[in-house]
Amino acid sequence: MEWRWDFTFEILPRMLWATGNTLLAAGIGYLIALVVGLILMLGQRTPYRIVNFIVREVVEFIRSTPLLVQLFFVFFVAPQFGIKLTAWTSAMLTIGLHFGTYLSEVYRGALEGVPKAQWEACRALNFSTAYTYRRVVLPQAFPIALPGMGNYLVGIFKDTPLLATIGVAELMHTANALGAETYRYLEPYTMVGFIFLIISLPAAMGLRRLEAAVAKAQGKVKH
Amino acid sequence: MALRSCLIPFLQQLGDDVSYWGFFVEYAPKMASGAMTTAMVMGCSALLAAVISLIFGLMRLSQNWGVQAAATVYIEFFRGTSLLVQLYWIYYVLPLMGLTLSPFMSGVLALGLNFGAYGAEIVRGGVQSVPRGQWEAALALNMSPAQRMRRIIVPQTFTLILPPMANLTVELLKATALVALITVVDLMFVAKQINATTWLSAQVFGTALIIYYIMARFALIPFLRWLEVLAARKVGKA
């Protein structure tokens, strides 16, 4: 099968429109995941050990099962209980929950990466807990969390093709539809690959730059 | 059997949910055979990924400009595009170019190539963190570069790379669910099939999730921990 440029340009507008949907899905999913991650991290640091244990196990469960199965679970099970979820809603919920568990680990690692002496010094200076977090701990935890946070943004972006399986009209879904309409799969699928490459490579490079910039602003030299 | 599978949707329509136990007895064998396929896809692609990781991880460190560039292009390409896209490309587009692979082979190939690219970066990091003195000592003992790699450097990297490799292997197990989309009859595929005939979605996908969880938490992770202990003992770091 020969590559056809006229066909490529014919489907390009639809592919670009779908790229917008893919980016939107990744963006919304990431925002939800950032918040869910925070909740799950705090849920493991409560004074009640039983709560910490349960949240920990839930996080472990979600982390060690496939996103694809979770996607189908949410999409098909909610209607069984009378909740009508659109493909978009179930997709955003699942992505938010799945990557929220990963981000909770990133947050946890970052907080633990701040030396204990920092806490003790704040105690000695009679700072309140809120003030300690805001002015001392979080500014130091942020650069530690940044690489992980960035990686999962790119990770969510690369997992968005899974959303096609439940009918979210993103890139992969559009490529499938175009293939079914025209019986040409070579161009749509190859274009999806290249669009992903064009977006994720600069994104990864930009993240590395950002990390270096933050490390520099914090007065630390990156190794 | 046939009567039963007619009865289940009927009972559902009556609003009278069948018990989970009834569902389990009926469909457990099918799901177990799906889980076996998942384990097989996982095993084959893990082996392929391990070989690719080692080869391309070392190529990344080559002094030869061309070899290094080839490895970088491969790694960035497979890490930069999505696994599902690679899977579809191998399964649907390669046949158009005259290379037809079975669904199982396509799945293993895509998973192996994709995770091999991630693994190669881990191998590179591991080799680079072997202390400088080890390289110099091997040089002082007049070892050839190949000998030095094989006998001094690579064995020491195993303890370093196993923990991140273990994480990657769990990711691989989860990623095997994608092969269901190119018609490999794995756990996910079986679950979708049962869901399509019975609409007992909570039961079927719930059970699938639990099976994946058990495979990861109580089979794969203990095995990988055991490997880590074994590797540590081999290099005398137990």
Side-chain angles (χ1 to χ4, degrees):
Chain A
M1 193 176 233
E2 286 287 306
W3 181 277
R4 268 178 45 193
W5 282 106
D6 57 327
F7 181 65
T8 309
F9 286 114
E10 197 187 312
I11 63 174
L12 192 62
R14 267 179 81 180
M15 295 296 276
L16 289 179
W17 177 79
T19 309
N21 270 355
T22 290
L23 290 174
L24 191 67
I28 298 174
Y30 187 60
L31 288 181
I32 298 174
L34 284 177
V35 178
V36 170
L38 199 62
I39 295 167
L40 289 175
M41 186 268 288
L42 293 174
Q44 292 175 60
R45 293 172 78 93
T46 63
Y48 311 102
R49 284 179 65 179
I50 181 75
V51 175
N52 298 353
F53 175 78
I54 292 170
V55 175
R56 171 91 235 134
E57 285 306 306
V58 169
V59 166
E60 278 301 318
F61 185 85
I62 297 175
R63 262 162 52 98
S64 44
T65 49
L67 179 62
L68 184 64
V69 187
Q70 291 167 3
L71 210 54
F72 274 72
F73 186 86
V74 172
F75 187 60
F76 285 105
V77 171
Q80 264 192 332
F81 294 99
I83 309 163
K84 289 229 162 54
L85 291 182
T86 62
W88 266 95
T89 321
S90 359
M92 293 301 94
L93 275 178
T94 319
I95 292 242
L97 199 60
H98 188 86
F99 284 92
T101 61
Y102 284 98
L103 283 166
S104 77
E105 293 289 293
V106 171
Y107 296 151
R108 196 170 61 99
L111 278 187
E112 281 167 8
V114 176
K116 252 204 148 62
Q118 299 284 326
W119 281 99
E120 287 158 6
C122 290
R123 177 75 51 82
L125 290 167
N126 204 19
F127 290 170
S128 72
T129 310
Y131 190 81
T132 306
Y133 265 115
R134 207 174 66 240
R135 297 300 301 273
V136 179
V137 176
L138 292 183
Q140 293 184 75
F142 183 63
I144 307 176
L146 200 62
M149 287 167 73
N151 281 342
Y152 287 122
L153 174 58
V154 181
I156 289 179
F157 171 66
K158 278 187 282 193
D159 270 348
T160 52
L162 295 190
L163 307 187
T165 56
I166 59 167
V168 173
E170 46 67 73
L171 257 179
M172 201 70 208
H173 192 266
T174 307
N176 283 335
L178 283 166
E181 281 164 28
T182 59
Y183 299 105
R184 289 190 71 86
Y185 286 94
L186 172 65
E187 292 88 351
Y189 283 159
T190 311
M191 283 168 78
V192 173
F194 271 98
I195 292 173
F196 267 92
L197 212 55
I198 290 169
I199 296 172
S200 69
L201 283 186
M205 248 187 290
L207 283 172
R208 256 171 265 159
R209 284 254 178 91
L210 186 68
E211 276 165 37
V214 170
K216 206 171 169 190
Q218 299 270 330
K220 282 180 192 156
V221 184
K222 202 159 174 348
H223 304 292
Chain B
M1 246 347 212
L3 180 73
R4 198 127 183 208
S5 50
C6 295
L7 216 63
I8 288 169
F10 178 68
L11 284 175
Q12 274 250 299
Q13 277 183 344
L14 283 178
D16 183 8
D17 217 342
V18 277
S19 75
Y20 179 73
W21 182 243
F23 166 83
F24 189 79
V25 171
E26 171 100 33
Y27 293 107
K30 256 185 114 176
M31 294 191 87
S33 83
M36 283 301 294
T37 310
T38 292
M40 226 149 74
V41 172
M42 145 100 218
C44 295
S45 44
L47 274 181
L48 180 62
V51 173
I52 291 177
S53 306
L54 193 61
I55 294 172
F56 282 89
L58 294 180
M59 276 169 71
R60 266 286 256 159
L61 294 164
S62 166
Q63 306 283 325
N64 185 314
W65 179 86
V67 172
Q68 201 190 357
T72 308
V73 167
Y74 165 79
I75 290 167
E76 292 299 330
F77 182 82
F78 277 90
R79 292 195 332 159
T81 55
S82 176
L83 173 62
L84 186 64
V85 181
Q86 292 155 17
L87 201 63
Y88 273 30
W89 209 86
I90 289 175
Y91 187 63
Y92 291 109
V93 178
L94 275 190
L96 304 175
M97 300 172 172
L99 182 65
T100 307
L101 296 169
S102 71
F104 185 87
M105 285 293 288
S106 312
V108 168
L109 188 64
L111 286 166
L113 288 171
N114 185 281
F115 281 83
Y118 285 93
E121 283 296 275
I122 296 177
V123 169
R124 180 183 63 86
V127 171
Q128 278 177 335
S129 52
V130 171
R132 196 85 222 133
Q134 298 287 328
W135 297 79
E136 287 159 4
L139 195 69
L141 289 170
N142 204 20
M143 285 184 167
S144 73
Q147 247 182 341
R148 184 176 61 189
M149 259 310 169
R150 206 179 63 242
R151 300 193 43 195
I152 308 295
I153 307 302
V154 170
Q156 292 190 70
T157 59
F158 275 120
T159 49
L160 295 169
I161 66 174
L162 269 176
M165 279 292 190
N167 283 340
L168 198 62
T169 314
V170 177
E171 291 297 317
L172 175 62
L173 172 65
K174 287 159 54 184
T176 57
L178 265 64
V179 299
L181 303 173
I182 56 164
T183 72
V184 176
V185 190
D186 74 333
L187 182 53
M188 177 65 194
F189 190 88
V190 171
K192 270 172 71 180
Q193 238 178 2
I194 297 172
N195 182 53
T197 53
T198 64
W199 289 102
L200 296 170
S201 308
Q203 288 89 327
V204 65
F205 289 120
T207 311
L209 282 174
I210 291 169
I211 296 176
Y212 275 113
Y213 179 64
I214 292 172
M215 286 170 82
R217 192 80 188 275
F218 301 107
L220 188 59
I221 292 175
F223 171 70
L224 295 166
R225 291 281 167 277
W226 175 77
L227 271 187
E228 278 169 36
V229 172
L230 197 71
R233 199 178 297 149
K234 283 263 193 247
V235 294
K237 275 189 184 164

